[in-house]
Amino acid sequence: MELSEKQIEALAPDASSLKAGKSLSKPQQWLLKQHNHRAIWGEIKGNGSKPYRTQVDLQQLAFKCSCPSFKFPCKHGLGLLLAFASQATAFEADASEPDWVKEWLDKRQAKAEKEEKKAEQTPESTEANEAKAQKAKEKRQQQRLSQVETGIDELRLWLKDLVRVGLLDLPNKNTRFFDQVIARMVDAKATGLAAKIRALRELNYTNDAWQTQALGIIAETFLLLEAYRNLDKQNPVFQQNIKNLIGWSQSSKDLLQDEQAETIQDTWVALGHEEVETEGILTHRTWLWGLQSNRTALVLHFVTPYAPPPALIPIGHIFRAILAFFPAVVPQRAIIKQSLENVKTIPQLPQSCSSWEEALQYQSKATALLPLVSDLPVVVQQVRLMTHEQQLYLCDHTWRYLRLSASVVPKTLHKMFAHAGNNPVLLAGILRQDGFLPLGYFESNRYIFLAS
Amino acid sequence: MIPHILRTALFGTEKQSLDTQTLPNALQASLARIATQEAETVLLQAITLSHFYEESGRKPPIFEGNQNPEIIVEEQAEAPEVYQQLYPSIKELPPFARFACMYAWLDGFVRLGAIPSPDNTITLLSDFTNYPQHIQAKIALCLGKKGRMLLPFYSDFQAEETQPDAQIWEEGKLKERRLVFQKLRQQNPAEAIALLEKTWQTETLPEKKAFLEEIAKTLVSSDIAFLENLWLMFAFKSQEKKAHKEIRWLLTGLLMRFTTSNVYQQLTNELKTYVQAEKSKGVLGWVGKTELSFALPTSDDAFFNAQSMEERWGLLTPKDYDNLPSAHTYWLSNLLEIIPMNFWENVLQKNTEEVVKYWQQDLYCHSIDRKKYPFLQKALIQNALHFGNQHLASVLCQQKDWVNFASVLPLLSQAEREKLILQHKVHTDAFILNTCFEGTQEIWSIHFSKEIIKACHELIFKRSGYISEALIALLSAHLHPSSIAFLESLDTSIGQHQHLRLHWQQRIVDTLVMNSAIREKIATLTQ
């Protein structure tokens, strides 16, 4: 895997880690620096008596370091990778792996093989065990259903109370007003509903637009409650989708074992990523675009301080892989079932919408299938960044523009302007409920990502 | 959101009931299909339906700005990537040592006639407000068109206007117009005066004062006619404003720099009448030797009086005489500031050193606790600065209390400044070094650089002292590159304390070596 400095920088968990990583990016700072086709590893003097041992798995990008940092990757991991990217010749090539590297790589490989094997194998079980497991599963499901239903009833009541007394007083409510309901939804294992109330709590109530935004959130929440109430009348995929939106999690292991699951082999480009922290869990979202199939995929990694993600996909990375999609009305979430090879340049440009109007029509079609669908990746032709009265607008060739999502970081747009000025570009981004989130643009055979 | 639904939702179903008849037909039909009577549920259903109804099929709005834009094309190429890549290394330098290097790097773009890459542009803009003003100005100068257009999103810094000078002169703010005038004065002083003459009548008094201050910086002999004309315009008028008087005094000072001006003739002729021969002090006096001196009157006369000073020359008299003993000494002090030194040399028949000594005699000293403090020192300093008199500056700096004259140090040549610092053994005095070299791009001589390094080394290892950040900043900016090897060669084993050795190695040696390496790369890449 060849990574550019910018791609490595995008892996940093925060600005301070990146700065610290850069300060360790000179090969001469590393006491030991070696690499082979599988990994890069090095030793660097730290605060401890022994030098820190840092290693990077190049096959499935992953980091390990003996330093005590909770950050992932740590400054040593970033520094080592940056040093390698800037001056690979300073590293001893085709070196034999020391025990501490070999052990880690072998362990990772064994684990991957085991998972693959497990996915391939059909479980051998006795009828009795199967029945027992089935019974336990049904019991758990029943318990869960009962918990969720209690939560849903409470939320329905809360919403009714809210509209009975009116929303005018909503800006004056303290966070406790929302937190109580959020906590109840978390207890009821309806984390999707908790997220909706959290969004209501986080609204900018100093902005006049809060009234429409609040009603939008209430509408989506109510629709979800209604959909759950009528769950039995829906087809199984729709049922699954609604459950996922309420808070049922999806198992990657189950997906790998599911032979019926939809898989797509393609050349994928990582359009961009986003990190969202909720209740101490960092969700790392990466959007992929399949250049031949023109399918999009959302790969999620859940990161806690003690469980780093197994593999990160750098933004702008182009690779051939087989992706497995979770069943859904509008399939979006996927996992990488098998990585095949890395690709240096973009072999072909993605299929794109000719205007914002066409992009919105695509969004409407998806909404018609599943009204609560969100975050649709799109590529739109000839979009240019324009300034008007100190505001930035993304205009298409018909001089129409889309409002920007609240999650847009101004620097993203500035980066686009610094690169392309007001020239039209083939822009990739995400259509969200609250507007558009630009991620990057295609320029001949390369992808310029805008996230910093 | 449909206004009626929004209104009901805001007030609540307790106070305002939802009238579904007011909703669009499609929504009415959908709501009718859902049979429920509960007001809250009906409203929640109406909210949900109208939300998706409005979201689906909406058209994006039309851009109201200029739909026929000129495509922005950078006129300058991006600097080579290897040059761009120096920025992260510069940022790794400690802040106090970074600015000199940063300035040199930015200056390199100007010399290359190139601009930063888009990524560096964003980084520079993000870092913009962390830099001092002179670096900010340099960044603004280096940015390409796109970068300059983005600058207002990061700072309220006013980048140099891209409008034509003539337009700025007609429509701009005083600060911008002053810059235009300053630029033109440097290129063609007479043309700048011609430009100012065109608008002079419409300028306000503060504007007139500001432009005269600009003229003072680049005074040339061809300015005399314009200034003499102004002198007549600013002659005393009853009920004149304070600013009017101040401009008259400013003009007096400017015209005193031309021995051919009427003001010079008038003022010096008046002052000459106060020069008289006096019997010399001591043995020379006994043998009948006389000496010329300036007899400052102790009571008002036709020249030394408040009315004459104000009406003829524009010099206002403050109530406290600016802490000088009398009104007469106040006037003398102010006149001393604007009268060329060679006038005094001629009328008193003394050389510069003697004139300086003359104005520091007991008669012109405050006496406090039996100590004498010459009160005309400020006037002598101002005189050196007013006329850019390097010789006078040099004479003042040779005095015992030379530190009091530090503000004239920049007038001296680099060699003189270096010599003075070595002579007075103030190698590690950041204040003096700063006064001597601040704002210059001068590189110290190798000898001087080594002496400063040696002094820093001694301070740390022999006197257990620390080197201030201000001093390291000066070393970063001015040290001769050939002295770096000497810096690295100095013995650190003599240090008793580990923290002092670390201070020397990390704060000074590492910083300066890195700084020197970057500056060398800048120099090589911009050749």
Side-chain angles (χ1 to χ4, degrees):
Chain A
M1 184 180 286
E2 271 183 42
L3 295 174
S4 69
E5 280 182 33
K6 279 178 204 162
Q7 285 176 320
I8 300 164
E9 283 170 13
L11 294 172
D14 52 45
S16 63
S17 297
L18 178 60
K19 196 179 172 193
K22 280 184 175 179
S23 70
L24 302 174
S25 65
K26 290 194 196 84
Q28 60 267 32
Q29 290 169 291
W30 290 83
L31 306 171
L32 172 79
K33 43 190 181 293
Q34 295 174 322
H35 77 103
N36 62 18
H37 69 286
R38 293 213 300 170
I40 316 168
W41 59 93
E43 286 184 351
I44 191 162
K45 180 92 186 76
N47 289 331
S49 57
K50 289 178 184 171
Y52 295 135
R53 289 173 164 178
T54 311
Q55 44 201 317
V56 183
D57 182 345
L58 291 176
Q59 291 172 316
Q60 280 281 320
L61 188 62
F63 299 81
K64 193 182 178 191
C65 184
S66 62
C67 77
S69 172
F70 276 122
K71 290 188 179 174
F72 190 83
C74 69
K75 62 180 179 180
H76 305 105
L78 287 169
L80 183 68
L81 206 51
L82 281 167
F84 186 69
S86 66
Q87 218 180 322
T89 49
F91 284 66
E92 189 191 325
D94 299 324
S96 57
E97 292 154 2
D99 291 346
W100 51 278
V101 176
K102 196 171 181 306
E103 200 176 304
W104 180 60
L105 290 175
D106 290 349
K107 216 171 176 180
R108 281 180 56 76
Q109 199 172 346
K111 196 180 167 192
E113 279 168 5
K114 198 176 162 189
E115 273 174 14
E116 215 170 291
K117 219 172 178 181
K118 208 172 167 186
E120 283 166 8
Q121 278 174 353
T122 43
E124 289 173 22
S125 51
T126 62
E127 258 179 45
N129 280 346
E130 213 169 77
K132 203 176 167 188
Q134 187 61 30
K135 209 175 170 185
K137 195 178 174 187
E138 276 169 15
K139 196 181 170 189
R140 280 199 307 274
Q141 279 176 345
Q142 202 51 48
Q143 270 180 346
R144 173 96 193 247
L145 276 172
S146 154
Q147 277 178 315
V148 170
E149 272 163 16
T150 314
I152 279 176
D153 288 345
E154 283 181 36
L155 187 60
R156 188 187 295 276
L157 199 61
W158 188 79
L159 281 180
K160 280 183 188 173
D161 281 348
L162 203 62
V163 295
R164 195 180 65 250
V165 295
L167 305 182
L168 264 181
D169 201 31
L170 212 51
N172 303 324
K173 301 281 185 196
N174 57 24
T175 52
R176 199 176 147 76
F177 174 76
F178 300 99
D179 289 346
Q180 282 174 336
V181 191
I182 293 168
R184 277 298 303 127
M185 292 305 110
V186 172
D187 287 347
K189 296 199 165 47
T191 49
L193 294 173
K196 294 280 178 205
I197 309 304
R198 207 174 282 122
L200 198 58
R201 183 187 66 188
E202 302 301 324
L203 273 185
N204 178 7
Y205 286 102
T206 57
N207 186 334
D208 283 347
W210 76 264
Q211 298 171 353
T212 317
Q213 288 166 356
L215 283 185
I217 296 168
I218 290 170
E220 286 162 16
T221 313
F222 185 70
L223 185 68
L224 200 49
L225 300 183
E226 291 293 285
Y228 189 78
R229 177 189 266 186
N230 297 307
L231 203 61
D232 297 341
K233 297 174 191 164
Q234 310 299 334
N235 66 50
V237 178
F238 200 94
Q239 282 184 8
Q240 185 59 47
N241 243 170
I242 296 301
K243 279 180 162 182
N244 294 148
L245 288 165
I246 298 264
W248 267 267
S249 59
Q250 292 165 301
S251 161
S252 300
K253 281 181 188 172
D254 289 349
L255 183 65
L256 284 172
Q257 285 172 358
D258 184 359
E259 285 177 5
Q260 304 297 313
E262 183 191 19
T263 55
I264 294 175
Q265 180 175 329
D266 202 343
T267 303
W268 301 92
V269 55
L271 296 180
H273 74 198
E274 187 182 47
E275 281 176 351
V276 184
E277 195 188 337
T278 323
E279 309 286 338
I281 297 171
L282 188 72
T283 307
H284 185 100
R285 298 178 185 169
T286 308
W287 288 282
L288 305 177
W289 192 291
L291 293 168
Q292 274 110 42
S293 63
N294 279 300
R295 280 287 297 269
T296 61
L298 173 66
V299 178
L300 299 183
H301 287 128
F302 301 98
V303 187
T304 63
Y306 306 100
L312 298 169
I313 310 166
I315 316 174
H317 185 48
I318 312 160
F319 60 105
R320 285 192 58 73
I322 301 170
L323 260 60
F325 284 78
F326 287 97
V329 179
V330 182
Q332 283 177 294
R333 199 185 151 196
I335 54 169
I336 298 173
K337 192 169 185 182
Q338 193 184 350
S339 284
L340 300 172
E341 59 177 332
N342 296 321
V343 180
K344 283 193 174 169
T345 54
I346 287 175
Q348 66 187 88
L349 289 174
Q351 201 175 47
S352 52
C353 299
S354 64
S355 62
W356 286 127
E357 209 173 332
E358 198 182 319
L360 289 186
Q361 279 168 9
Y362 165 66
Q363 190 184 30
S364 289
K365 277 180 195 166
T367 311
L369 292 171
L370 181 73
L372 290 160
V373 73
S374 65
D375 284 10
L376 290 169
V378 285
V379 176
V380 185
Q381 296 163 19
Q382 294 188 58
V383 178
R384 59 172 95 207
L385 192 56
M386 298 296 298
T387 53
H388 178 56
E389 292 177 349
Q390 283 290 305
Q391 296 285 322
L392 291 163
Y393 296 86
L394 287 169
C395 299
D396 66 8
H397 74 105
T398 65
W399 291 103
R400 288 188 182 272
Y401 69 92
L402 270 200
R403 67 168 184 253
L404 294 163
S405 163
S407 44
V408 174
V409 181
K411 216 171 162 182
T412 309
L413 296 174
H414 299 159
K415 193 173 172 186
M416 179 175 167
F417 193 82
H419 275 275
N422 55 1
N423 276 294
V425 297
L426 187 60
L427 185 68
I430 304 296
L431 282 172
R432 308 203 129 145
Q433 301 287 358
D434 74 330
F436 184 73
L437 172 70
L439 295 176
Y441 65 89
F442 292 88
E443 192 183 70
S444 53
N445 61 355
R446 63 190 188 127
Y447 178 71
I448 292 159
F449 54 89
L450 301 172
S452 43
Chain B
M1 185 60 71
I2 293 162
H4 180 59
I5 292 180
L6 180 62
R7 195 177 153 77
T8 311
L10 289 174
F11 285 108
T13 49
E14 260 180 4
K15 294 185 188 127
Q16 165 111 34
S17 58
L18 179 73
D19 181 3
T20 53
Q21 300 300 311
T22 61
L23 304 179
N25 291 339
L27 290 188
Q28 282 185 41
S30 298
L31 279 171
R33 279 201 298 275
I34 313 163
T36 179
Q37 296 302 314
E38 198 186 33
E40 293 85 44
T41 309
V42 172
L43 179 59
L44 282 167
Q45 284 165 347
I47 289 169
T48 308
L49 282 168
S50 66
H51 170 71
F52 287 99
Y53 175 79
E54 288 190 338
E55 282 298 306
S56 302
R58 71 189 153 95
K59 277 198 166 189
I62 290 184
F63 177 60
E64 287 174 359
N66 177 16
Q67 294 190 2
N68 191 18
E70 196 180 320
I71 296 293
I72 306 159
V73 181
E74 296 291 0
E75 283 161 7
Q76 293 160 292
E78 284 174 29
E81 205 180 334
V82 60
Y83 193 73
Q84 307 271 4
Q85 282 168 354
L86 291 175
Y87 189 43
S89 313
I90 294 170
K91 280 177 79 173
E92 276 174 35
L93 287 166
F96 50 89
R98 187 184 305 156
F99 300 146
C101 213
M102 183 68 189
Y103 191 89
W105 182 66
L106 292 168
D107 201 44
F109 283 100
V110 178
R111 274 182 283 137
L112 289 167
I115 55 171
S117 65
D119 286 344
N120 259 346
T121 297
I122 295 298
T123 318
L124 282 169
L125 289 171
S126 306
D127 297 343
F128 193 80
T129 48
N130 299 331
Y131 287 116
Q133 216 166 7
H134 73 286
I135 301 275
Q136 289 186 352
K138 202 75 181 171
I139 292 173
L141 194 71
C142 293
L143 292 174
K145 281 184 188 175
K146 292 171 202 163
R148 278 203 298 273
M149 286 175 83
L150 286 172
L151 191 53
F153 290 98
Y154 289 83
S155 154
D156 54 5
F157 180 88
Q158 294 291 317
E160 201 177 322
E161 291 292 335
T162 47
Q163 291 169 322
D165 285 351
Q167 196 180 336
I168 299 171
W169 185 255
E170 292 296 328
E171 300 163 8
K173 294 175 191 161
L174 175 61
K175 198 178 163 188
E176 296 156 357
R177 296 179 71 222
R178 204 170 166 158
L179 282 173
V180 171
F181 187 71
Q182 195 181 60
K183 198 164 79 182
L184 194 57
R185 276 293 289 181
Q186 277 157 5
Q187 291 162 358
N188 188 338
E191 208 175 297
I193 293 291
L195 180 72
L196 185 59
E197 274 179 320
K198 279 185 205 164
T199 56
W200 183 262
Q201 294 302 332
T202 56
E203 306 288 355
T204 63
L205 284 175
E207 284 166 346
K208 285 174 179 168
K209 199 175 166 197
F211 290 122
L212 284 174
E213 281 164 1
E214 283 305 322
I215 292 173
K217 290 178 195 165
T218 49
L219 204 64
V220 288
S221 56
S222 60
D223 296 332
I224 191 164
F226 174 70
L227 295 173
E228 291 217 303
N229 191 26
L230 291 187
W231 170 257
L232 296 174
M233 284 166 67
F234 280 87
F236 174 72
K237 285 177 201 159
S238 58
Q239 293 182 332
E240 64 181 2
K241 287 182 178 170
K242 193 181 169 191
H244 196 91
K245 297 183 214 297
E246 284 170 355
I247 290 177
R248 185 159 64 244
W249 176 242
L250 193 58
L251 286 166
T252 307
L254 288 174
L255 285 165
M256 283 306 290
R257 282 159 72 175
F258 300 105
T259 50
T260 54
S261 71
N262 288 329
V263 170
Y264 181 89
Q265 297 301 331
Q266 286 175 36
L267 191 54
T268 52
N269 283 339
E270 294 273 9
L271 289 171
K272 274 178 195 166
T273 61
Y274 292 92
V275 176
Q276 57 189 40
E278 260 183 7
K279 214 159 83 171
S280 294
K281 285 173 188 165
V283 181
L284 290 172
W286 293 346
V287 295
K289 175 96 175 159
T290 57
E291 202 176 334
L292 291 168
S293 73
F294 185 83
L296 180 68
T298 48
S299 58
D300 285 3
D301 59 17
F303 179 75
F304 278 104
N305 68 75
Q307 191 183 358
S308 153
M309 287 295 157
E310 187 177 320
E311 291 180 3
R312 288 186 69 188
W313 317 108
L315 178 59
L316 290 158
T317 313
K319 279 181 186 165
D320 63 350
Y321 311 132
D322 234 357
N323 294 323
L324 290 163
S326 65
H328 302 85
T329 48
Y330 171 77
W331 296 322
L332 174 65
S333 172
N334 277 274
L335 291 171
L336 205 53
E337 286 182 16
I338 61 165
I339 290 164
M341 192 47 58
N342 56 9
F343 167 76
W344 299 111
E345 287 167 11
N346 290 336
V347 295
L348 297 174
Q349 291 180 8
K350 295 178 194 301
N351 60 27
T352 311
E353 286 86 344
E354 288 165 340
V355 173
V356 167
K357 211 172 166 189
Y358 180 81
W359 292 120
Q360 291 179 320
Q361 61 178 300
D362 290 357
L363 182 62
Y364 301 113
C365 285
H366 288 299
S367 183
I368 304 166
D369 292 340
R370 292 185 186 173
K371 280 189 178 173
K372 303 283 180 192
Y373 296 94
F375 53 72
L376 293 177
Q377 267 186 1
K378 186 184 150 230
L380 291 167
I381 291 169
Q382 287 306 317
N383 186 289
L385 296 172
H386 187 68
F387 292 94
N389 190 335
Q390 195 179 335
H391 179 60
L392 175 59
S394 183
V395 170
L396 292 174
C397 290
Q398 291 307 322
Q399 303 218 48
K400 224 179 192 177
D401 56 345
W402 69 283
V403 175
N404 295 333
F405 298 96
S407 53
V408 301
L409 283 168
L411 290 176
L412 304 180
S413 68
Q414 187 185 339
E416 264 186 298
R417 277 173 280 151
E418 289 185 359
K419 193 177 155 195
L420 203 69
I421 286 161
L422 297 182
Q423 182 190 327
H424 292 289
K425 295 187 170 51
V426 283
H427 307 61
T428 54
D429 187 326
F431 170 73
I432 295 294
L433 284 167
N434 209 35
T435 311
C436 285
F437 300 101
E438 194 193 14
T440 74
Q441 300 298 312
E442 290 165 337
I443 296 295
W444 293 336
S445 67
I446 300 178
H447 171 68
F448 185 71
S449 298
K450 284 184 178 176
E451 288 299 320
I452 299 284
I453 291 169
K454 225 189 284 176
C456 291
H457 184 262
E458 273 178 23
L459 176 64
I460 293 172
F461 291 104
K462 293 192 179 161
R463 287 181 276 147
S464 299
Y466 282 91
I467 303 298
S468 68
E469 290 183 353
L471 186 53
I472 303 173
L474 282 158
L475 292 165
S476 307
H478 304 288
L479 212 59
H480 197 287
S482 304
S483 61
I484 295 296
F486 174 72
L487 171 81
E488 289 180 290
S489 71
L490 289 176
D491 184 11
T492 54
S493 62
I494 54 172
Q496 289 176 353
H497 302 289
Q498 170 73 3
H499 61 94
L500 289 174
R501 280 200 295 274
L502 279 177
H503 175 66
W504 171 257
Q505 188 58 43
Q506 293 176 353
R507 285 288 258 197
I508 299 166
V509 179
D510 291 352
T511 302
L512 295 177
V513 168
M514 191 172 162
N515 174 70
S516 174
I518 297 171
R519 293 184 73 134
E520 205 178 315
K521 276 187 197 164
I522 293 171
T524 314
L525 293 168
T526 53
Q527 260 171 11

